[in-house]
Amino acid sequence: MGKAWPAAKRGKARAAAQSRVTARRPAAAPSALKKPAAADQLGAPKNVPYVRHGAPTKRIRHAQATWARSLKDFVNTPAKTIINKLTRDKILPDWKGATCPYCGEGTLGPLKHYADSNGGWAYRCNSKECKRRVLPHAFHPIFKCGTGQSHVSLADQASVLFCSIAKCSQTSVRFLLQKNHKLTESIYESLHAVRAKSVVQHEKNIKFGADLPWADVEADEVDIAKGEDPNTDAATDKPVIWEQWGGMVQRGDQKSLVLFKLDPAKTKRRAPGPGPIRKRDWKPLAYKWVHQRNIILHTDGARSYKLKLEGVKHDWVVHAKKRVMVKGKWVWIKPKFTKITHHDVPDDSKPNKTKRIIDRIWGELRKHLGNKKTANTKALTNKIRSYQWLYWHRGEDLWLATGKMLEEAFLKEHCQ
């Protein structure tokens, strides 16, 4: 016979050869490699919901989302209109009737236009000894007041703030608005700081398992950054410090996400990581958040999580393939990332044994932080807390949510 033309592609030839080799192998179905069905193993239905209580996680379609404001609301707009919009959205406080922040005695009047004020609009104190004017964005945690060359209009600052809330990169904002990098960096860092304060304040009110018989809570830790400790002796063989954080979240409640900074051991320079969470770090956290709460805790195989706690049922998964003996031969079995388990509790719970939500959170957190990270810095901590605030408000209008956050900060600062 002549040579076939055209020649078969390499991929098809390889697939055909592999199929012939597989066909010649003896049929064997070891019991260790067979995955039992959920109904056969537990006597329960196969389709067990992953989120048994609360609202399941939904995919957010950002292309279809709309906010109360857009960037065009702040571009080429009169100052009075911008002030009214920002005050209506709670981004700016309404100083009318408030105590004067300068003298602490007088009362501020309504917003009026003054030709000699920056922007032209201000509130005036009615005290005869004070009579000072307060700009609408004075004492603001994000916006800055300046004179001369340092003066930046409120419209420009509001535009940069909107871009930061919309998760635009600082480089893109500088190209879009043609503003100095110092302005964008200042507003971005101030926004992270305000979010961090809000998260620390509201995190104290989180309670796992509230009003639920047995709630599913996932816990895990993540390594974010590393660096050399400047205070370490040069002769030591373990000079590397790590930024390691832990997290816990209750399935069905996105606002229950709790993040906490850990204290891992120092490592060598070429170490891949600081290792899993240590028992001395996990024990106080476990007694604070899940002890005596009727919790089904889902973690990985770290030994620290196996701490005996009252009112806690523990499930763990091993994200590694397993080597077992089958008919005199060693066989590798793929890891089971999802498995249905049964717990002998009053509500006959049959949850999924895995931790998808917390693992997805770590991926989103790394994307939020970017590549440039310095371990053990206040800026990195604020940025991590900022992501926690964003996760709490997933699917919401972030512009209006920011307004509520700034209103709380203003009331706490000036109305106590």
Side-chain angles (χ1 to χ4, degrees):
M1 291 180 62
K3 185 177 180 180
W5 185 91
K9 293 184 178 181
R10 293 183 178 181
K12 293 183 179 180
R14 188 184 302 111
Q18 184 67 24
S19 63
R20 290 194 296 270
V21 172
T22 307
R24 291 195 298 266
R25 290 177 180 173
S31 59
L33 303 178
K34 184 178 179 181
K35 185 177 181 179
D40 299 336
Q41 183 181 6
L42 302 174
K46 293 184 179 181
N47 296 327
V48 176
Y50 184 77
V51 179
R52 301 183 300 119
H53 307 288
T57 304
K58 294 183 180 180
R59 180 182 178 183
I60 299 176
R61 301 183 181 273
H62 296 284
Q64 301 177 2
T66 57
W67 288 0
R69 301 293 177 197
S70 62
L71 188 59
K72 64 181 181 181
D73 292 329
F74 310 110
V75 179
N76 298 328
T77 306
K80 181 64 183 308
T81 305
I82 292 178
I83 294 173
N84 291 337
K85 290 181 179 180
L86 295 178
T87 305
R88 195 179 305 117
D89 298 338
K90 310 297 182 182
I91 301 296
L92 288 180
D94 187 2
W95 287 98
K96 180 181 177 181
T99 304
C100 178
Y102 293 107
C103 65
E105 297 179 357
T107 303
L108 298 178
L111 183 66
K112 292 184 178 181
H113 184 271
Y114 300 93
D116 56 342
S117 299
N118 289 332
W121 297 92
Y123 301 89
R124 189 175 183 181
C125 178
N126 62 0
S127 176
K128 294 183 179 180
E129 300 178 356
C130 182
K131 296 294 183 180
R132 296 192 65 174
R133 298 167 186 171
V134 179
L135 296 177
H137 55 292
F139 302 96
H140 198 274
I142 298 178
F143 297 149
K144 307 299 180 184
C145 299
T147 58
Q149 294 183 352
S150 62
H151 170 68
V152 181
S153 65
L154 185 59
D156 293 339
Q157 297 189 62
S159 301
V160 176
L161 176 62
F162 185 87
C163 293
S164 64
I165 296 175
K167 304 178 184 179
C168 297
S169 66
Q170 297 186 30
T171 305
S172 301
V173 174
R174 290 195 291 270
F175 282 117
L176 289 173
L177 303 178
Q178 295 295 321
K179 294 300 175 184
N180 193 306
H181 67 94
K182 295 182 180 180
L183 173 64
T184 58
E185 291 174 0
S186 174
I187 291 181
Y188 273 66
E189 293 175 0
S190 299
L191 179 62
H192 293 325
V194 175
R195 286 175 176 174
K197 292 181 180 179
S198 178
V199 166
V200 172
Q201 180 183 358
H202 288 82
E203 195 179 57
K204 303 174 183 178
N205 303 326
I206 296 177
K207 184 177 181 181
F208 293 116
D211 303 328
L212 290 177
W214 284 88
D216 296 315
V217 176
E218 300 181 10
D220 196 15
E221 72 279 348
V222 63
D223 305 330
I224 296 175
K226 69 175 182 178
E228 291 197 13
D229 188 1
N231 300 324
T232 304
D233 187 10
T236 182
D237 60 339
K238 294 183 178 181
V240 179
I241 56 176
W242 291 80
E243 183 84 16
Q244 187 181 51
W245 283 69
M248 301 176 68
V249 62
Q250 180 175 314
R251 293 179 185 174
D253 186 6
Q254 67 181 25
K255 293 192 176 182
S256 65
L257 175 63
V258 173
L259 299 180
F260 36 84
K261 187 176 181 179
L262 304 177
D263 185 22
K266 296 181 181 179
T267 63
K268 298 180 180 180
R269 288 185 175 86
R270 300 189 64 181
I277 185 173
R278 296 190 286 185
K279 186 176 180 180
R280 71 174 192 180
D281 293 335
W282 170 245
K283 186 174 181 179
L285 296 170
Y287 275 91
K288 177 181 179 181
W289 294 108
V290 298
H291 182 59
Q292 296 180 345
R293 297 284 180 85
N294 291 345
I295 297 297
I296 299 179
L297 185 64
H298 304 270
T299 68
D300 54 18
R303 287 182 290 181
S304 301
Y305 292 122
K306 298 181 181 180
L307 180 68
K308 299 297 181 180
L309 298 169
E310 184 180 353
V312 177
K313 300 291 184 179
H314 185 208
D315 285 341
W316 66 90
V317 290
V318 179
H319 294 170
K321 56 184 180 180
K322 188 178 181 181
R323 190 165 177 254
V324 297
M325 178 72 72
V326 177
K327 293 185 178 180
K329 294 183 178 180
W330 288 104
V331 179
W332 288 99
I333 299 179
K334 295 182 179 181
K336 298 179 181 179
F337 295 98
T338 303
K339 184 179 180 181
I340 301 173
T341 58
H342 177 268
H343 292 284
D344 187 12
V345 293
D347 69 336
D348 195 29
S349 296
K350 298 180 179 65
N352 277 282
K353 180 180 177 181
T354 182
K355 52 185 188 69
R356 297 182 198 165
I357 298 178
I358 194 69
D359 288 338
R360 182 169 61 247
I361 288 173
W362 297 146
E364 295 176 356
L365 176 60
R366 288 192 176 99
K367 184 178 179 180
H368 173 77
L369 297 177
N371 296 327
K372 295 182 179 180
K373 302 181 290 290
T374 305
N376 292 340
T377 58
K378 185 64 175 179
L380 181 59
T381 301
N382 289 342
K383 210 168 182 180
I384 293 172
R385 293 295 186 187
S386 178
Y387 168 77
Q388 186 177 357
W389 185 91
L390 288 173
Y391 187 83
W392 285 357
H393 298 278
R394 290 177 77 247
E396 301 180 12
D397 188 333
L398 296 182
W399 177 258
L400 296 181
T402 303
K404 294 180 181 179
M405 176 188 64
L406 293 174
E407 183 184 21
E408 293 179 0
F410 174 78
L411 294 176
K412 183 179 179 181
E413 185 71 21
H414 298 282
C415 298
Q416 287 183 348

